[in-house]
Amino acid sequence: MDFLRPASWEEALAAKAEHPTAVPIAGGTDVMVEINFDHRRPEYLLDLNRIELLRDWEVGEENVRLGASVPYTSIMEHLRAELPGLALASHTVASPQIRNRGGVGGNLGTASPAGDAHPALLAAGAEVEVESVRGSRFIPVDAFYTGVKRNELEPDELIKTVHIKKADGPQQYSKVGTRNAMVIAVCAFGIALHPETRTVRTGIGSAAPTPVRAKEAEEFLNAALEEGGFWDNGKIITPSIAKQFADLASAACNPIDDVRGTARYRRHAVGIMARRTLGWTWEQYRGNARTLEGAA
């Protein structure tokens, strides 16, 4: 196995173009596990740790530009207000040591359906910027996952940046695991309220071959909130609406039975998380609305 260690982004792109089978490594959370257990033996490893560009982030007027290697710890410490859903997801990643090294780019590159960042990225409506010596392109996160541990990247492309709209409403994240730390998700659920567009987005992890959105649940809830005037009147969401949303979120799953949980349990747990996170985010939205009314 040859070890490539570019000193700049341009060198990294050139190396990837010359060696398309090279496996990028930054935090190494997933790659090193596969290598250590001899599940994978790539011809080349492409070390990206010397590239400062990938560890930078920038908060703009509307969006956050998040370098692929920005560690989860930095998201938790510095971007909690702008990216609350992703910050909550970051808290659930493994151990402090791994949170200090791992980043969102690794989750996207591995494209495991159990990756902790995926539900939050789907709910927030992120875009993934990828680049090669041929140029760069933006991929909506919804279209990024193409199969079990497969993504939309071309062989010569690398993930550069994730662009995420700053939260304009409450976001939540919930994860089921066999313990509180160092655990792969049995299933996970993310939700984001977008009051500016009066829409709700979701993300489901570890309950289908790829991370997915519960689109029918979103469409139902968007219509129910609009028809009932909930965005304006701030009323409590009725139990019947919450239950229907949860049932549709559960139906969006296509899980398997494995050592971490059964398909039936995953569907049930996703429904519970959908109902609870909807309740949490809506209560936060109602509280924010009352605060703004009081200030006015």
Side-chain angles (χ1 to χ4, degrees), residues 81-217:
E82 294 82 4
L83 307 175
L86 188 58
L88 288 169
S90 299
H91 269 284
T92 74
V93 175
S95 65
Q97 294 91 334
I98 291 175
R99 290 194 290 271
N100 287 339
R101 290 297 305 272
V104 172
N107 256 193
L108 288 165
T110 303
S112 166
D116 292 314
H118 303 313
L121 294 175
L122 284 165
E127 280 193 314
V128 185
E129 182 182 4
V130 303
E131 194 167 340
S132 71
V133 293
R134 297 176 290 110
S136 63
R137 62 188 179 115
F138 289 79
I139 306 171
V141 71
D142 302 60
F144 189 79
Y145 315 107
T146 60
V148 180
K149 294 189 175 182
R150 297 200 306 272
N151 58 44
E152 186 65 20
L153 284 172
E154 296 293 338
D156 63 341
E157 289 180 324
L158 293 171
I159 299 170
K160 181 181 181 181
T161 311
V162 183
H163 298 261
I164 312 170
K165 185 179 179 182
K166 290 163 61 175
D168 63 314
Q171 301 178 0
Q172 275 291 340
Y173 178 89
S174 184
K175 172 179 170 179
V176 172
T178 53
R179 56 188 179 189
N180 286 333
M182 293 298 291
V183 64
I184 299 173
V186 176
C187 53
F189 190 85
I191 187 171
L193 305 188
H194 299 279
E196 289 182 4
T197 56
R198 297 195 173 204
T199 56
V200 177
R201 285 180 62 106
T202 62
I204 300 173
S206 203
T210 67
V212 295
R213 285 169 57 196
K215 291 186 178 180
E216 289 189 12

Side-chain angles (χ1 to χ4, degrees), residues 211-223:
V212 295
R213 285 169 57 196
K215 291 186 178 180
E216 289 189 12
E218 294 174 13
E219 291 169 2
F220 162 77
L221 185 59
N222 290 338

Side-chain angles (χ1 to χ4, degrees), residues 2-3 18 56 61 82 100 125 168 221 234 251 257:
D2 288 339
F3 194 69
E18 184 178 355
D56 290 340
E61 188 173 332
E82 294 82 4
N100 287 339
D168 63 314
L221 185 59
D257 296 329

